Amino acid sequence: MTLFWSMMILASILFALITGKSELLSNTIVSVGSETLDFVLPLIAVTCFFNGIVEIAFQNGCIAWLERRMNPLLRFLLPDIKHDQETLGYVASNIVINMFGLGSAATPVGLKAIKGMQKHNPDPKTATRSMVTFLVLNTGGVTLFPTSIIALRVAYASKDATSFIPFAIIATFSASLIGLLVDRWWNHGH
Amino acid sequence: MVTNLILPLFIFLILTVSLIKKVDSYNAFLKGVKEGFLLFNDVFGSMLSMMFAINLLRISGLLDFIAHIFASSILKIEPSLWAMMLFRPFSGTASLAIMIDIFKYLGVDSFSGIMASIIQGSTDTTLYVITLYFGCVGVKKIKNSMVIGLISDIVGISMAILLTFLFFS
């Protein structure tokens, strides 16, 4: 990350010096702090709101209900951990929280899930089938409420902040579906 | 639009279930909000570092320079959208920073603004997820998970572009 970040900055400064745009650079360097705060605050505010709603859904059992609905599907997708209810539960929570677009809240349970899978791993240095499938599902990231994008669209005064959602759902769903199919075909044989 | 009904109905449903099950939803909400605010420390740091790098990339003209190489192809979309797609699998904050840039300079409800929103929502940051999760349990041989993750990113992003062209142009 350090290398990636430093290279972006160094290359930009170098490029600006060569093309003679260096006077614009100082303005950006000075103003980027407050500019970032301007959109991080609304972003955090909306995330807080949905975090509150999800906490209600968690306490009243809605999340647990969703997780139970997912159980048969998960047993099919992750056959080598189908007897480990606890780990399957973590996988389900991770997917459900991801659906609300709360990626940072989903990560802790996701990490518990992969630790649970590691317990059944005969070779701890090599990924198991379930791990690959779980991560494919996770990187496809099926999101039903893309919270942060909605927040930013509202912050930039969109007249229709939510109309993109159905299309984002179709795109994210196809990504996950194709990912899972490729994984089945490639790793689980015919 | 149906989408305008999703959120209100969703909240209606959750609060009704809470009332039936006698769950203290008011305090649950407050607890969730408080936990959400703790994210500020992490989010502000990573957003600031990425906004800084992306702003310099744009101001220096380097972003346009790189993106133009791609923009000369058949697809008629803005150079910054190409940049966003290139960054999407590697850094969620970087692509988010470019999306904000697009909102600011091309308009949040413009064709590019909508395409950027759908692309951002179409997939998750593959490289980050895989490094974090496998790193956490010390797995070194990750098999073909990276390749499959990137294939699904390409599918998600292509769908995003296709849908925007079909429904918003």
Side-chain angles (χ1 to χ4, degrees):
Chain A
M1 198 61 202
T2 307
L3 186 70
F4 175 63
W5 187 66
S6 313
M7 286 311 286
M8 285 206 306
I9 295 168
L10 295 178
S12 302
I13 295 180
L14 213 61
F15 192 83
L17 289 177
I18 295 168
T19 54
K21 285 182 190 159
S22 45
E23 75 282 357
L24 295 168
L25 291 182
S26 346
N27 279 337
T28 310
I29 294 170
V30 177
S31 64
V32 70
S34 67
E35 231 176 74
T36 307
L37 191 64
D38 279 348
F39 71 78
V40 169
L41 275 182
L43 190 65
I44 291 290
V46 176
T47 308
C48 281
F49 177 79
F50 279 99
N51 226 40
I53 298 290
V54 168
E55 181 66 32
I56 302 177
F58 179 73
Q59 289 195 11
N60 71 13
C62 282
I63 302 258
W65 182 84
L66 269 177
E67 286 170 10
R68 278 198 301 279
R69 297 284 86 73
M70 269 188 335
N71 219 335
L73 178 70
L74 290 182
R75 279 159 185 264
F76 169 71
L77 288 175
L78 311 166
D80 42 332
I81 59 157
K82 68 178 171 198
H83 301 298
D84 185 349
Q85 263 318 311
E86 193 191 2
T87 305
L88 281 178
Y90 290 138
V91 174
S93 318
N94 175 266
I95 296 171
V96 170
I97 301 173
N98 258 327
M99 282 180 182
F100 292 97
L102 299 169
S104 5
T107 305
V109 268
L111 292 178
K112 281 184 190 163
I114 200 155
K115 278 179 189 156
M117 292 175 194
Q118 181 74 325
K119 280 192 302 199
H120 307 284
N121 191 352
D123 174 13
K125 290 251 179 277
T126 308
T128 61
R129 276 166 38 159
S130 295
M131 288 181 182
V132 176
T133 308
F134 172 56
L135 289 195
V136 167
L137 205 59
N138 210 299
T139 57
V142 177
T143 309
L144 301 182
F145 291 101
T147 319
S148 56
I149 307 173
I150 301 172
L152 287 166
R153 292 185 63 81
V154 172
Y156 282 92
S158 168
K159 289 193 179 66
D160 197 353
T162 53
S163 62
F164 77 100
I165 297 177
F167 305 101
I169 293 175
I170 297 173
T172 173
F173 189 77
S174 340
S176 298
L177 189 68
I178 299 290
L180 285 177
L181 286 176
V182 174
D183 172 53
R184 270 274 142 175
W185 170 74
W186 197 341
N187 294 332
H188 295 228
H190 296 277
Chain B
M1 253 315 247
V2 194
T3 44
N4 287 330
L5 287 174
I6 298 175
L7 274 180
L9 285 180
F10 172 67
I11 290 173
F12 186 86
L13 182 79
I14 287 199
L15 286 182
T16 315
V17 174
S18 294
L19 277 182
I20 295 168
K21 289 195 167 183
K22 298 194 174 61
V23 167
D24 183 358
S25 42
Y26 177 72
N27 279 310
F29 183 72
L30 289 187
K31 179 170 174 255
V33 171
K34 208 182 270 177
E35 280 168 6
F37 207 79
L38 295 176
L39 292 173
F40 181 81
N41 274 332
D42 295 332
V43 173
F44 186 66
S46 55
M47 271 324 286
L48 182 55
S49 56
M50 267 311 145
M51 279 309 278
F52 178 53
I54 296 293
N55 270 351
L56 286 185
L57 274 180
R58 181 173 46 79
I59 295 281
S60 67
L62 188 59
L63 188 69
D64 270 357
F65 180 77
I66 298 168
H68 267 122
I69 300 170
F70 288 89
S72 48
S73 64
I74 22 162
L75 270 182
K76 290 240 177 304
I77 55 179
E78 288 289 329
S80 38
L81 279 166
W82 283 109
M84 190 182 162
M85 285 182 250
L86 288 179
F87 278 116
R88 187 72 195 86
F90 305 101
S91 165
T93 14
S95 64
L96 199 68
I98 302 177
M99 184 184 84
I100 291 162
D101 219 66
I102 292 172
F103 285 177
K104 225 189 281 179
Y105 294 98
L106 301 170
V108 60
D109 291 324
S110 68
F111 179 73
S112 304
I114 289 171
M115 189 182 281
S117 309
I118 301 178
I119 291 174
Q120 185 70 20
S122 69
T123 168
D124 212 325
T125 320
T126 300
L127 193 79
Y128 168 78
V129 169
I130 287 183
T131 329
L132 179 77
Y133 281 59
F134 281 142
C136 171
V137 288
V139 164
K140 298 274 188 298
K141 289 186 188 155
I142 62 166
K143 290 189 178 163
N144 46 15
S145 53
M146 188 71 85
V147 180
I148 302 177
L150 290 176
I151 291 175
S152 97
D153 286 345
I154 293 171
V155 172
I157 292 174
S158 313
M159 275 305 277
I161 297 173
L162 183 74
L163 290 169
T164 325
F165 271 110
L166 282 179
F167 293 95
F168 291 93
S169 60

